Amino acid sequence: MLTLGVFLVDVLTPLEGAVAVLYVIVILIAARISLPDLLAASAASVVLTALAYVVMHGFGHVGSPTLRVLASFSAIGIATLLAIQNRKATARLREQARLLDLSHDMIFVRDAQGVIRFWNSGAENCYGWTSEEAVGRVADDLLATEYPTSRDEIEAELLRTGRWEGMLRQRTRSGATLIVESRWVLQRSGPGQPGRVLETHRDVTEREASHMALAQSERRFRRIFDASRVGLLQEDWSALRAELRRRIADGETDLPGQIERDPEFVKRAKALVTITDVNAAFLEIAGADSPARFAGSLDTVLSEADQTFAASLAAFCRGDRFFEGETEIRAADGRRVPAIFGLTFPDADESMDGEVLAFVVDVTERNNAQHALMAAQAELAHAARVATLGELTASITHEVNQPLAAIVTNGEAALRWLRRKEPDLEEVSTALVRAIDEGKRASAIVGRIRSFLKKGPIRRDLLDVPELVQDAMLLVERQLMTSGVTLRLAIDPKLPAIVGDRVQLQQVLVNLAVNGAQAMLGTGGGSLSVEASAEGPDQIRISVEDSGPGISPEDVARLFEPFFTTKQDGMGMGLAICRSTVEAHGGQLSVESEPGEGARFTFTLPAAPIESQDDPARQQRLEG
């Protein structure tokens, strides 16, 4: 209609001006619709302008109307070109706005007064307000923004540099508080004049919460690390792990086996482990005043004789998460401090895959206490042996008197043979040989008694089980005979040897045998069975069984408690000493009893290693 109106005015009115220039209005209106409409309107404007010129002036007239129509053509063409360029620019801006709208970040544009002019879909999704609701509102009021510093200082920096970055706290429509990472960019409207500000916000609430939790965890760990009374070391095994990975890449498939085969590799590996931090408790253990004392490799801590690093390295290669052992720490003053330690290894896929935490506990006092306890146990065991021998006095007297009487008898016989008119030297020699044999027998009896009474630390000798049992039974044989008790031995002669203290193990056997004999007093005799056999490839089983009245179920549970006894004149220490002795040798002592059916005490001991079984004396006995 506008186009038709311009055409009619141009043709029907006597106006002399360039009325066709009004077609520019038509072109500008069509430019807002579509590009084809724009081109159609432009072409129609040109055609109608030319038609109006022909109708009014014909083809032969040239003058001012001609110049006006050319000016109209120029105005239409320029307007068309500008409209096309404007459409392209608008399309680019619209595409850019669409990209901003597609962003997951919250993006909005505000003017210098803080009024929101653009609000993308990311802001709609995160904050909860639609674009229609947000545009026209003041951003700080809508979002209740909390700034890290004064807002004036931030605006001053924005005006000075054109940009600002920082962390803000903002509120959503639902009332939730967000922590956002904010970036501002200023678009100036003129020299020194602030224009619009593009604000890009990224929600980092969860990240900040994680960071705060991590920081809090780190502070908590630091407090524990510094305040712990257990010695702690942070070690860096990353260089060692890189070396192990390099060896695997070179084709090495058995790293634990290489550790056993190549001691030099272990030494190089130890040098690759560095100490990064130690706590105050470890400094106290090592007698040092500064962590700098331990800066460097692990050699500054471990003593030269340490054998645990190879085992810990093998555990590290296997992928174990934990390793513990006992070693000696090299103190600042040269002392060797015994310590129990534990290592926590990280997973191979952890980012900090070289950090190892070591826990160290000084066991000097524990070892001293153990030595004192062992000495006290030895003293108590010695007292118990003396008490036991007091009970065996009659048996010992009889055992010693027998060879002494035989010595006297043989000596007198030798004198009688010598005093004859014709001395019978052969009989004299025979009597003297018998006297010597009886003297050796008496000496052996005294030697067994002296060894039984011997006081000293636990020995670790290679012991033959049949010989051990038989020697112990010789000490109680007379008492058993006096009590009317029949002794029955069932000992496998092919038993492997054991490692232990002969005296202490004999004390166990003597105590159990004496207890069995005393349990059968008043029953008119009985039998005592001592058996020794193999239990599996690496265990020896020895049992002492009597045919007495047995032990009540109430007493069985407390039988091995110190100072508990069922005898009227007993001390209650014999069985407690027996159990502690057997356990000190790596075995177990137990009892089985049914009232009226006797009692059976059984203890197991580990067999000696195979390589130590080749004892010449033992081989000679076995062959005999």
Side-chain angles (χ1 to χ4, degrees):
M1 294 297 294
L2 180 61
T3 303
L4 180 60
V6 172
F7 175 74
L8 293 176
V9 169
D10 191 17
V11 173
L12 301 178
T13 63
L15 297 176
E16 295 295 331
V19 177
V21 173
L22 296 177
Y23 286 117
V24 171
I25 300 174
V26 176
I27 293 172
L28 294 178
I29 294 175
R32 299 181 60 184
I33 302 173
S34 66
L35 182 61
D37 290 329
L38 170 63
L39 296 177
S42 178
S45 298
V46 170
V47 171
L48 292 177
T49 300
L51 180 60
Y53 177 80
V54 172
V55 171
M56 294 292 297
H57 306 288
F59 291 101
H61 180 77
V62 177
S64 59
T66 305
L67 295 177
R68 287 195 297 270
V69 76
L70 292 177
S72 298
F73 286 155
S74 300
I76 293 171
I78 293 172
T80 301
L81 292 176
L82 292 177
I84 292 174
Q85 291 178 354
N86 182 66
R87 283 188 58 84
K88 291 181 178 179
T90 302
R92 284 196 301 270
L93 290 175
R94 188 178 293 109
E95 184 65 26
Q96 292 173 359
R98 187 179 297 111
L99 291 176
L100 291 177
D101 200 50
L102 293 176
S103 174
H104 293 293
D105 293 339
M106 299 88 79
I107 300 175
F108 64 84
V109 177
R110 63 173 177 84
D111 59 22
Q113 287 72 41
V115 178
I116 298 172
R117 299 304 180 187
F118 172 78
W119 186 265
N120 79 333
S121 60
E124 289 182 346
N125 296 332
C126 189
Y127 291 122
W129 287 283
T130 64
S131 177
E132 291 77 9
E133 294 171 329
V135 172
R137 301 279 300 275
V138 177
D140 287 354
D141 295 339
L142 180 67
L143 302 175
T145 305
E146 298 178 17
Y147 294 93
T149 60
S150 169
R151 172 63 189 268
D152 294 336
E153 295 178 4
I154 294 175
E155 287 291 341
E157 181 180 348
L158 179 66
L159 291 175
R160 185 177 65 257
T161 63
R163 61 184 59 249
W164 178 83
E165 296 182 5
M167 307 296 293
L168 303 176
R169 297 176 68 88
Q170 294 179 327
R171 186 189 61 199
T172 67
R173 185 170 190 169
S174 63
T177 299
L178 301 181
I179 300 176
V180 298
E181 188 177 65
S182 181
R183 291 180 175 84
W184 297 2
V185 178
L186 175 65
Q187 181 184 32
R188 300 183 186 276
S189 59
Q193 297 297 320
R196 295 192 173 187
V197 178
L198 174 68
E199 293 192 16
T200 303
H201 297 169
R202 176 171 296 177
D203 183 6
V204 294
T205 306
E206 293 184 1
R207 189 192 74 181
E208 286 298 304
S210 300
H211 176 73
M212 291 176 63
L214 179 62
Q216 184 178 6
S217 176
E218 181 67 23
R219 288 193 298 270
R220 184 166 56 248
F221 168 77
R222 193 70 233 181
R223 286 196 300 269
I224 295 173
F225 186 87
D226 293 334
S228 174
R229 299 313 303 159
V230 175
L232 298 175
L233 298 89
Q234 278 185 316
E235 300 174 358
D236 184 4
W237 288 47
S238 56
L240 174 57
R241 171 157 279 174
E243 173 66 15
L244 295 177
R245 287 172 174 169
R246 185 187 65 79
R247 288 176 176 267
I248 293 175
D250 291 342
E252 179 61 53
T253 58
D254 185 17
L255 288 175
Q258 185 179 14
I259 294 171
E260 296 181 1
R261 297 189 302 267
D262 188 2
E264 289 299 320
F265 171 64
V266 177
K267 187 180 297 185
R268 292 193 301 272
K270 187 187 295 185
L272 292 175
V273 176
T274 57
I275 299 173
T276 58
D277 198 4
V278 299
N279 71 343
F282 182 80
L283 293 178
E284 183 178 344
I285 292 173
D289 55 1
S290 172
R293 164 71 175 76
F294 302 101
S297 70
L298 202 58
D299 289 325
T300 59
V301 171
L302 297 179
S303 67
E304 300 86 349
D306 173 73
Q307 299 295 323
T308 60
F309 180 75
S312 65
L313 179 59
F316 185 65
C317 293
R318 290 193 303 268
D320 294 352
R321 293 303 308 274
F322 188 78
F323 178 82
E324 63 180 12
E326 189 164 351
T327 186
E328 288 184 338
I329 300 298
R330 186 187 305 183
D333 57 3
R335 292 179 297 114
R336 297 294 182 264
V337 181
I340 294 175
F341 72 93
L343 300 176
T344 57
F345 298 125
D347 286 335
D349 57 352
E350 291 184 5
S351 58
M352 298 178 64
D353 61 357
E355 184 175 297
V356 173
L357 191 63
F359 304 82
V360 180
V361 178
D362 184 358
V363 294
T364 303
E365 294 184 2
R366 185 206 68 174
N367 290 353
N368 292 339
Q370 284 183 341
H371 294 156
L373 178 61
M374 291 173 63
Q377 287 179 338
E379 290 285 346
L380 187 59
H382 177 256
R385 289 196 295 273
V386 172
T388 302
L389 283 179
E391 298 179 6
L392 300 178
T393 301
S395 177
I396 294 169
T397 302
H398 177 78
E399 290 290 334
V400 175
N401 279 338
Q402 274 189 335
L404 291 179
I407 291 172
V408 173
T409 300
N410 285 298
E412 291 175 347
L415 287 176
R416 286 196 300 272
W417 289 111
L418 285 173
R419 288 171 181 168
R420 297 183 65 174
K421 291 181 180 181
E422 294 182 6
D424 190 339
L425 297 181
E426 184 176 351
E427 290 293 340
V428 171
S429 175
T430 301
L432 291 176
V433 169
R434 290 173 180 169
I436 293 171
D437 289 341
E438 293 297 333
K440 291 180 178 178
R441 179 186 169 195
S443 177
I445 293 171
V446 173
R448 284 198 299 271
I449 296 170
R450 289 182 62 187
S451 66
F452 190 71
L453 282 172
K454 185 177 180 182
K455 179 172 67 174
I458 296 178
R459 296 173 57 88
R460 295 293 178 183
D461 299 324
L462 191 67
L463 304 177
D464 188 72
V465 175
E467 181 182 345
L468 176 73
V469 176
Q470 290 168 358
D471 285 351
M473 292 303 103
L474 286 175
L475 292 171
V476 298
E477 185 177 22
R478 180 62 183 177
Q479 181 170 344
L480 296 178
M481 292 176 60
T482 303
S483 303
V485 176
T486 302
L487 177 64
R488 186 178 66 85
L489 297 179
I491 305 173
D492 184 356
K494 302 293 185 180
L495 289 175
I498 60 175
V499 174
D501 188 298
R502 178 186 299 273
V503 173
Q504 291 199 5
L505 293 177
Q506 282 184 347
Q507 179 181 0
V508 173
L509 289 167
V510 168
N511 282 350
L512 296 178
V514 170
N515 284 348
Q518 292 176 346
M520 290 182 283
L521 288 176
T523 63
S527 63
L528 185 75
S529 300
V530 180
E531 300 178 359
S533 60
E535 186 173 275
D538 53 0
Q539 288 282 336
I540 306 298
R541 179 174 162 275
I542 302 175
S543 63
V544 179
E545 182 177 7
D546 64 68
S547 59
I551 307 170
S552 66
E554 297 81 9
D555 293 338
V556 168
R558 302 185 57 196
L559 201 59
F560 296 104
E561 294 180 6
F563 306 111
F564 175 79
T565 179
T566 58
K567 304 175 186 177
Q568 292 183 354
D569 56 349
M571 294 188 301
M573 293 302 299
L575 290 176
I577 292 174
C578 289
R579 169 167 278 188
S580 64
T581 300
V582 171
E583 291 178 350
H585 285 75
Q588 296 288 333
L589 173 61
S590 60
V591 61
E592 300 174 5
S593 178
E594 292 291 337
E597 298 183 6
R600 181 184 182 89
F601 288 86
T602 303
F603 64 92
T604 59
L605 295 171
I610 296 177
E611 59 270 15
S612 64
Q613 297 281 345
D614 299 330
D615 180 61
R618 181 171 180 275
Q619 291 296 331
Q620 184 177 2
R621 183 190 67 77
L622 291 175
E623 292 171 1

